Amino acid sequence: MTTRHHLPVAHEQSIGGPFVSSASKADARTEAPDGAEGEEDRLLQVGDIAKATGKTVRAIHHYEEVGLLIPHARSKGRYRLYDHAALTRVRWIGKLHDLGLSLSQIQQIVSTWESSSSAPGAMSQIRHVYQQKLEEVREQIAHLETLEHELVASLAYLDTCETCDPAELVAACTNCNLHDKSTAEPELVAGIRGNGHCRHGSNHR
């Protein structure tokens, strides 16, 4: 496996965990004395972060612009370098996006967390957000399960159609006698006919 990280490093303040303290931002791009080259193999370039997280380089730069991501260091050529905590942060942002949160809402979560006067209070606020999202996800799962059952029933119903005479006109589907009359026609099938009138062969305008 080829290692890409061979850039001379100028230290910057590290990111701690999935949250970045606003107090660290002022020192984020301050260079330190030489002699940090031994750290270079532990740092990642923006392309590495993009590849590992499935995000675009542009998106990662945007996270930095809005204060959600700060480089751990810059090379002496001024390339952004990130530690592995940046992977956690970018994946965290991605998961919150998947949960339906906008970037501005994610910024608000970080801002609220940073401005909290106590650790328990900060985590309590995060827990409240996650609890709300859990309830929403469970509602979505229940809805998707209903759709799954409807699809399974519809496919089972449509399997009977394979026994139909190929010469039969579509209009005959309205009064099909191949299906079990005691079984309700799934709405995903019934809805094809709309209001119940088949357009094929109809003079209705």
Side-chain angles (χ1 to χ4, degrees):
M1 182 175 179
T2 303
T3 301
R4 297 178 51 195
H5 322 306
H6 294 289
L7 297 173
V9 173
H11 273 292
E12 294 185 25
Q13 186 162 337
S14 176
I15 302 172
F19 300 101
V20 179
S21 172
S22 58
S24 69
K25 297 175 183 177
D27 300 324
R29 293 177 176 81
T30 301
E31 292 191 5
D34 295 335
E37 288 81 358
E39 189 179 7
E40 63 188 32
D41 289 335
R42 299 195 299 272
L43 299 180
L44 305 169
Q45 297 178 47
V46 65
D48 300 315
I49 299 290
K51 183 177 181 180
T53 62
K55 299 292 183 180
T56 64
V57 170
R58 182 178 180 181
I60 294 170
H61 285 323
H62 185 56
Y63 297 159
E64 183 180 343
E65 290 169 1
V66 299
L68 290 175
L69 188 67
I70 297 176
H72 174 78
R74 283 183 183 268
S75 71
K76 291 185 178 179
R78 304 306 295 164
Y79 289 102
R80 295 175 176 88
L81 299 176
Y82 301 86
D83 65 4
H84 286 270
L87 288 175
T88 301
R89 169 53 74 94
V90 174
R91 286 172 178 149
W92 177 74
I93 293 171
K95 289 178 185 295
L96 292 188
H97 273 314
D98 291 343
L99 288 170
L101 291 169
S102 66
L103 200 58
S104 61
Q105 288 174 314
I106 296 173
Q107 287 177 285
Q108 183 59 46
I109 289 174
V110 173
S111 176
T112 300
W113 183 85
E114 291 178 343
S115 61
S116 179
S117 59
S118 71
M123 291 308 178
S124 176
Q125 294 178 60
I126 298 301
R127 188 184 187 284
H128 175 74
V129 173
Y130 290 174
Q131 181 64 47
Q132 182 179 23
K133 285 301 172 184
L134 176 59
E135 293 171 3
E136 293 176 6
V137 166
R138 284 174 172 168
E139 289 177 0
Q140 292 170 8
I141 290 173
H143 178 63
L144 289 174
E145 286 178 341
T146 298
L147 290 177
E148 178 191 17
H149 295 154
E150 180 80 8
L151 284 167
V152 170
S154 297
L155 289 170
Y157 187 92
L158 293 171
D159 284 344
T160 304
C161 298
E162 295 180 357
T163 64
C164 183
D165 184 351
E168 193 72 74
L169 296 177
V170 173
C173 294
T174 303
N175 298 304
C176 179
N177 58 7
L178 295 177
H179 297 282
D180 185 356
K181 300 298 183 182
S182 64
T183 302
E185 186 178 36
E187 289 187 352
L188 284 177
V189 177
I192 298 172
R193 295 192 298 275
N195 60 5
H197 298 288
C198 182
R199 294 182 182 275
H200 292 271
S202 174
N203 293 322
H204 178 71
R205 301 290 184 196

